[in-house]
Amino acid sequence: MALKTADEYLDSIRARKLTVFYRGEPMDSVVDHPVAKAAADCVADVYSAALDESLAPLMTRTSPLVDEVVNASNILWRSRDDLLNRVEWERAVGRRTGRGALRSPGLDAINSLAIVTQQCDQAKGTEYHQRLLAFIERVQREDLAVSGAMTDVRGDRSKRPGEQADPDMFVRVVKQDADGIYLRGAKAHQTSAVHCHEHVVLPMTCGPDETEYAVACAVASDTPGITHIFSRQPSDSRRAEGAPLDVGLPAFAGCESLMIFEDVFVPHERVFLCGEAEYTQELVRYFGSFHRFCYGGCKVGIADVVIGAASLIAEANGVRNKSAVRNKLTEMVHLNETMYACGVAAAAKGWQTSAGTFSPDIGLANVTKLNVTRFPFEIARLAADIAGGAMLTLPSQADLDHPELGAHVRKYMAGNPSVPTQQRMALFRLLEFLTHGSGAVYFLHESLHGAGAPEAMRIILRREVDLSPFETAARNLLAGA
Amino acid sequence: MALKTADEYLDSIRARKLTVFYRGEPMDSVVDHPVAKAAADCVADVYSAALDESLAPLMTRTSPLVDEVVNASNILWRSRDDLLNRVEWERAVGRRTGRGALRSPGLDAINSLAIVTQQCDQAKGTEYHQRLLAFIERVQREDLAVSGAMTDVRGDRSKRPGEQADPDMFVRVVKQDADGIYLRGAKAHQTSAVHCHEHVVLPMTCGPDETEYAVACAVASDTPGITHIFSRQPSDSRRAEGAPLDVGLPAFAGCESLMIFEDVFVPHERVFLCGEAEYTQELVRYFGSFHRFCYGGCKVGIADVVIGAASLIAEANGVRNKSAVRNKLTEMVHLNETMYACGVAAAAKGWQTSAGTFSPDIGLANVTKLNVTRFPFEIARLAADIAGGAMLTLPSQADLDHPELGAHVRKYMAGNPSVPTQQRMALFRLLEFLTHGSGAVYFLHESLHGAGAPEAMRIILRREVDLSPFETAARNLLAGA
Amino acid sequence: MALKTADEYLDSIRARKLTVFYRGEPMDSVVDHPVAKAAADCVADVYSAALDESLAPLMTRTSPLVDEVVNASNILWRSRDDLLNRVEWERAVGRRTGRGALRSPGLDAINSLAIVTQQCDQAKGTEYHQRLLAFIERVQREDLAVSGAMTDVRGDRSKRPGEQADPDMFVRVVKQDADGIYLRGAKAHQTSAVHCHEHVVLPMTCGPDETEYAVACAVASDTPGITHIFSRQPSDSRRAEGAPLDVGLPAFAGCESLMIFEDVFVPHERVFLCGEAEYTQELVRYFGSFHRFCYGGCKVGIADVVIGAASLIAEANGVRNKSAVRNKLTEMVHLNETMYACGVAAAAKGWQTSAGTFSPDIGLANVTKLNVTRFPFEIARLAADIAGGAMLTLPSQADLDHPELGAHVRKYMAGNPSVPTQQRMALFRLLEFLTHGSGAVYFLHESLHGAGAPEAMRIILRREVDLSPFETAARNLLAGA
Amino acid sequence: MALKTADEYLDSIRARKLTVFYRGEPMDSVVDHPVAKAAADCVADVYSAALDESLAPLMTRTSPLVDEVVNASNILWRSRDDLLNRVEWERAVGRRTGRGALRSPGLDAINSLAIVTQQCDQAKGTEYHQRLLAFIERVQREDLAVSGAMTDVRGDRSKRPGEQADPDMFVRVVKQDADGIYLRGAKAHQTSAVHCHEHVVLPMTCGPDETEYAVACAVASDTPGITHIFSRQPSDSRRAEGAPLDVGLPAFAGCESLMIFEDVFVPHERVFLCGEAEYTQELVRYFGSFHRFCYGGCKVGIADVVIGAASLIAEANGVRNKSAVRNKLTEMVHLNETMYACGVAAAAKGWQTSAGTFSPDIGLANVTKLNVTRFPFEIARLAADIAGGAMLTLPSQADLDHPELGAHVRKYMAGNPSVPTQQRMALFRLLEFLTHGSGAVYFLHESLHGAGAPEAMRIILRREVDLSPFETAARNLLAGA
């Protein structure tokens, strides 16, 4: 069984030499630094979950590639059940961590590459698919965490890669030699990239005269020439203060970084596309749609926590049985289950690709995500409505722990006497974290922009959903038809 | 193969003696009367579709009960595929007819009774399940159209059956004898009941002191004592004017009636519940949820027609390529596919009942319907937005056909020269029909109230969706947890 | 006092010879024809209201032009109070009639022309303003009903007037001579035009090479060469059946017609713009914005009736005190008062034009209307939600009046015993009329398209609302600013 | 002229001895402490604005009480113009500061007390009104900043003041003597209370047996026995880091505190209500509605900044002219102007109270606020949509200022070359501040809960908006009416 424990995973990341800066200072350890630790623990949780008896049926699969049980984050999907299963484990991990399954982008990267490399090889006689399978085999055997490095910094967004003032606004191949290729550029807001063993670099859509940008490859995280600038998030520095109550969700978190490539060398056997610009649109379409689909599990799981917290706060405020509160909770559940239903449906209408793997329905995957760009915001608003004003105006843990002030805080922050005041405060802070703190980066902002902004879904829907059968249906019913 | 042709079906209904009134006059033939004909043809279409080669895989199933191919409207669901399939054929029929599959309530009636009769028999030693199977067998063999007669008129809605001023506000058993039972009361707005061979009467939820109301049974449509008052619908009389252009959708329609029972006799072998009030809530819950689930196909199919018509009108107006129009069409598609996704997900998360049949996920079935109470209204608004003012202010067919006026109409109702003016007018009338004419009864009003008003879904969601796992998830993540 | 009674008004219209067709037949009297009568009575109501003691302070003003008390539908606005007052009387008339104040388009026509003719005269030495004042003087003295004839049929909407295959898709001057001008073309869906004494013809926005389309003038309704094709509306023919219960709102209605000009002669003294294409955009902007602003009263008044009917139905159903019902009514009130507030604010921020008249705030006028394109649809949906399924599936009046069936109808359509069954039925029909019958043409469809589709408001908002002060505000607050 | 300069104001606050704790430590100076300074400067800005020539006409009024020019934050409203003016200056200050006019709660406190004290005095022979006028006179002459201390901590929210386990969950009078009264309890999240000279304490609604809670009075901010616990806000500690870029809006902010009263003495001449429980509901209704009304200016002004920042980011991203972006900006403007229109309308429909002062329309004030509980959230979502992913994942100022990293940041955070990269970063941070940082406490959370949660508006609307005229209107139009 090719499964690392959480500790083995954390040690394996500790062992890597990375160049990471946070607020202008080198971050010595991305595993133990107070601002990064919870994010590392969140990746580690995907390892733990695979070894958890109750979750193992969701979190693991036997891979025919290596004939071993591997983490479901690293498989090629071989059935509709694999897809349905993914929605379930994404939701489970989202619900466990309040953040989500941080190995997902890599999963989408290998599955989208599997399709496109097979197509490219067949048409052009390249050997990318075989290289990819070899890479996946190693990833499965060693149970590696893989990031999907897609989003370029993009500079002036009205301009294509080749039109930018600075040609490095999209990651590109600046040199090729007998041994491999050299990458320059930067990938923006790379989720948990500092906590991954491998990065799968993917291109944006390229035109025929932009072949230098048409590159996909795997890069080991400790390859020389990679620098991370670790992002600031709302209230991030609270994690360094030693007051977990103020953090809200002390155990888990996400992180992202600006990942800069300064002429990074990648050997040929790790290259999965290089110059075949005509395949980039398909690759982007698959990668984006796969990742959009997974939000029907992942963000739903976070929303489960938001709903649970809102319900507990209602209890702590003494109003859980009021019909106005119950109506709001029901609406939150309704919106959340709608997102989930879209993810499930995209899986249930999945289909087998020419590579033998399975893809969720592309249209429904985008429908899923378009709802995800809207509903978490309304769920967050309703949670804040239920919570009341104290959610963002609480005294601090230091006030609570203060020898004299503490009595004031305990007296005046008390609600329903059957709920301990400290728990009531912790609930407010959890909701603050998820909707206005660094958790909001994932529950709200990533819901909006992860795997593309709403406009990207609309463009796909326009392309994927052919209106002509609807028009034919209408025409058939007309008077005189 | 136990499948009637459409003509055989229509003849079989023509042969029945029914008591039906429309606008104070007896309706001689519910098949041939100009106001009822299109609704009869719509039921007939479900027969045609089963014999249509391309649709047969959706519309038919081999039933183990009779070991024959039967219409999918009459089966007990035996797998998740049966459920997924249902969403598909509901959508297909909705799209073919602009109205929907009118044998669906009967389908939900037999499937909900299958579960509850099995439970009742097991607990109480009754023999309802066997009787039901015998009934279904006959229905399958003879390919009968079955209505689901659930909704009582209910009088004062703040009062329970037993509290009403008039005890007949809910259908009840007024007498029992050795041969059978006698029903009195009325069922409100019974969809296509006049076009069905059999009515399956179902109870509302009853309390332990309301056993006379706890009755389920099958009643042949020509049983003495049944009177139908056929409903008026918006613009219904246009069908009697001989101007199909003004009708909008001349081929198909729906209809409903107030179905009155005056001490109607039902033999014991057709009775599936009688006095076991404790089973009525479950029965209502299953029947309602099954029917709510199907709207994720049926109403989606009608919306396909609305979207198609809106797109064609945009073409006829010369603006199909404007980005504002395309954005609206994309939003309509998005909302529609969201409803569809919910139906698919309810099926994909289906489960096997104690009766051996399959049920869709009850929570997701209600989520489906709650979206259906909202999105068709926005789809209709967007369609009207695209169509423009002429949709509700068109000259009539008589104006178009008039020897002199006709030239004016053709000249001034012209739009994009590549679309014939008469087609443009027919498109406006089709949209008028679906959103403000008698089609709106189904696309909008039934979407709101069919199988229960939005409040009913909320109540089920409150009951079905247990918040405690969400609360546990939140509690696990609290500081100090 | 220059005020006609309702009967004087109706007689004055009866006396006119008009060419009007309905369903291919000449309509002998637009006042007495069963399908047109209620619409005539609705215009008449604006006359009655002006003579009603309690409404006179709203409905009348002393005009300095004629130094007499005149109907507020015919004044030039001379203060913010005139504007605020307009919102109030529009709401009052909407609430009285369920339809609205049918002389409003003429009011907007004279007020927009007052500004633009003054500007044109000043710049170009024309004498349009004086002609307009003379026209208004006569209109005030004789208390005439004036229509605003703006919307051309427009043919292919992607093409400008001069680009159409048929040059008559926009009304144009086909000939000029010493006495006057000759108009050809058609105006689409002209609200109550058949019930007006005068039409003020207005142009759409024209380019410099489209001067033949740049025409504004007053045309007496009985001028030779004008033909009306009376529109069909949902359920329109119920008014001819003699069953007022089925009509829903028997007393009042709206109507519109396709008004065709076959080389209609207009003497010069009635021409207010002819060829000055550069003024058409301003004219359209003012006319459109003035009319949009008035919807903050007019549609609000209809919504008052919808809300009142929904509340009474809730009572008739026995559920007026349920919190779910009260929440829906409160939301309906909230949405409605928001539309009203926008109209009031547009008036309160009014300003004096260069012609000395007052204009509402143009931005807020468009904000008003953009809300009106949305909220009535949600109000209608909530009303239908409260009403329940019977709203569109009622037995007819003939069923109720039938010697035998009547007893069934009275028994089974009964609700709350304290509300007569016939009143309950009348309430359902009133809501049917307003949301799915011919009243929906005004409450919903005109709300969407009257005075321009939502896109038109967005275009104005983009133009009127300068973002640069907002950008300056943001820039001032930046770090380092 | 009784107007302080900003510096005079700041010095006057510096001079006061207050007991304030932040994160368990005494806050030495609420003016100069890095976390509190920007909030003090925001109050100071209301002083500056009154002396700013261009704003003085909005920000000041001549008060008949003192016959001097005073700050508009301290007046009794004497006309509809005073009310309209208030909407304007609230918006102006919101737009200047991104936070709002922090002396507003005191303004609402004195205006609501003016009405209720006059009523109480007249009915009961008390002399509260005179005391209040004397207080206002001093406040005007000395140009004092006054807080409105309304919101009690409330404990178990299902319980009334007298039912709580701890009687101090609502501020109450624990003792009275010849000189005055003694207050115990705490007021929750008191906006800028630490920066005010005076607190006007107001009661929640009390029952006849809860007279000890029915207390209104003025308390000087440095009265012994008052302790503030200063709230933590999202990202609050960034202000102490010395990196203004990371703060987002370095110049201004808000703050609030839990304000605890430990048997605080208040002399009788400062008491405005004491035991007259029957007046508390009216007082709450007026105070709440006045404050709700002002959000139609204040929150609109903040939204102006959000819209401006979004537009500038679109420019910095190179996409300001894309139609998708312009549509979103137009929708943001539309929503914002709708809130503004509601505030203006509430003012325009203002009326004179029995105290001679003016009140905005209570219904429309609550309609204003109910929209404010919704639209800022959608405006924030649309702003985030336009901004893109970088808004919450930016490198820090330290990274930008770093000798080596800085080049990377400048290279890869560049967008449209005509916008400096640092300005682009500052724009992201400004939006982060306003929607997820401590600015979100005001733009979003206070919009939801300030002056009461949405439920409070709904309750008022149910009470204030009498449905019976709507019902009468519907009844008048019924068939047979």
Side-chain angles (χ1 to χ4, degrees), chain A residues 343-404:
Chain A
V344 167
K349 304 294 290 183
W351 49 280
Q352 190 164 24
T353 72
S354 58
T357 60
F358 270 71
S359 164
D361 182 87
I362 298 297
L364 292 176
N366 283 277
V367 165
T368 304
K369 175 70 201 310
L370 195 47
N371 283 320
V372 171
T373 67
R374 300 172 180 179
F375 295 169
F377 287 82
E378 180 63 3
I379 291 170
R381 193 183 73 87
L382 289 167
D385 185 354
I386 290 172
M391 186 182 100
L392 292 191
T393 65
L394 268 192
S396 65
Q397 177 170 354
D399 298 318
L400 180 69
D401 293 347
H402 188 278
E404 287 148 50

Side-chain angles (χ1 to χ4, degrees), chain B residues 107-121:
Chain B
L107 175 61
D108 297 315
I110 61 177
N111 274 282
S112 50
L113 277 170
I115 303 169
V116 171
T117 53
Q118 188 271 346
Q119 290 173 351
C120 180
D121 288 2

